[in-house]
């Protein structure tokens, strides 16, 4: 049975990743069948299957043999739809009581950024997200973090606590000495005004570093 017939008979869940992608692509090209073309796309994703497609840019798709401008745009939009569904499924007030939930919520927005970006997530008394804001967009290797600006944002929205996130364009989320220093300053200042910093999360390429999970949030205060 062809993919379309399979979907009509038993639903899309019976399709393989390659068949699903073939339905999106609709047609092959240059003497190549659509399922073979779908296989080429999946192979280019680095063996990670459909998840690997989320790491691919418009330019990456265009570099796949058999994928032209239109199909590359279709694939890019498919990945964006998946990203938005994933984020919206968390709800308007996602629970940020564990670091993995915070990292998962922001991962697709931040992991491919070419410059550092600082986001402050304001939380209520149940660790649910009240709002978030992008405070700084830095250079390729540094984000200018203002402790005063972070805390003023928390006060303005009535936050009970806050989480700070920023990305490392290199893909390696390991904290620098500057990251540790800034975390210490944010924690000390937050404790003083009664709006504690609950975590500092660094986003890498599908990886993250949490000061809380690493046991370094209390350590950062003492260094």
């Amino acid at each position: 049975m062809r993919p379309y017939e399979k979907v009509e008979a038993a639903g899309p869940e019976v399709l393989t990743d390659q068949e699903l992608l073939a339905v999106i692509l609709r047609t092959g090209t240059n003497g190549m069948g659509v399922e073979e073309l779908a296989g080429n796309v999946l192979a280019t994703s680095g063996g990670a299957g459909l998840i690997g497609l989320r790491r691919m840019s418009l330019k990456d798709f265009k570099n796949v043999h058999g994928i032209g401008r239109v199909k590359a745009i279709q694939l890019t939009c498919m990945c964006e739809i998946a990203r938005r569904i994933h984020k919206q499924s968390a709800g308007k007030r996602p629970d940020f009581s564990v670091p993995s939930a915070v990292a998962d919520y922001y991962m697709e927005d931040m992991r491919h950024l070419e410059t550092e970006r600082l986001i402050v997530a304001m939380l209520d008394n149940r660790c649910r997200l009240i709002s978030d804001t992008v405070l700084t967009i830095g250079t390729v290797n540094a984000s200018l973090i203002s402790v005063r600006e972070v805390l003023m944002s928390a006060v303005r929205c009535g936050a009970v606590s806050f989480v700070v996130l920023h990305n490392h364009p290199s893909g390696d989320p390991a904290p620098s000495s500057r990251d540790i220093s800034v975390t210490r300053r944010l924690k000390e200042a937050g404790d003083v005004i009664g709006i504690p910093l609950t975590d500092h999360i660094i986003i890498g390429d599908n990886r993250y570093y949490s000061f809380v999970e690493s046991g370094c949030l209390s350590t950062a205060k003492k260094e």
Side-chain angles (χ1 to χ4, degrees), residues 122 150-159 193 195:
M122 315 300 180
V150 170
L151 295 178
M152 285 180 63
S153 296
V155 170
R156 280 195 296 265
C157 75
I193 69 170
I195 305 178

Side-chain angles (χ1 to χ4, degrees), residues 174-205:
S176 66
S177 58
R178 185 175 184 279
D179 293 332
I180 295 171
S181 174
V182 167
T183 303
R184 181 183 70 245
R185 290 163 53 208
L186 285 169
K187 178 168 177 56
E188 290 175 347
D191 288 346
V192 167
I193 69 170
I195 305 178
L197 170 69
T198 59
D199 204 351
H200 181 178
I201 293 177
I202 304 171
I203 300 293
D205 186 7

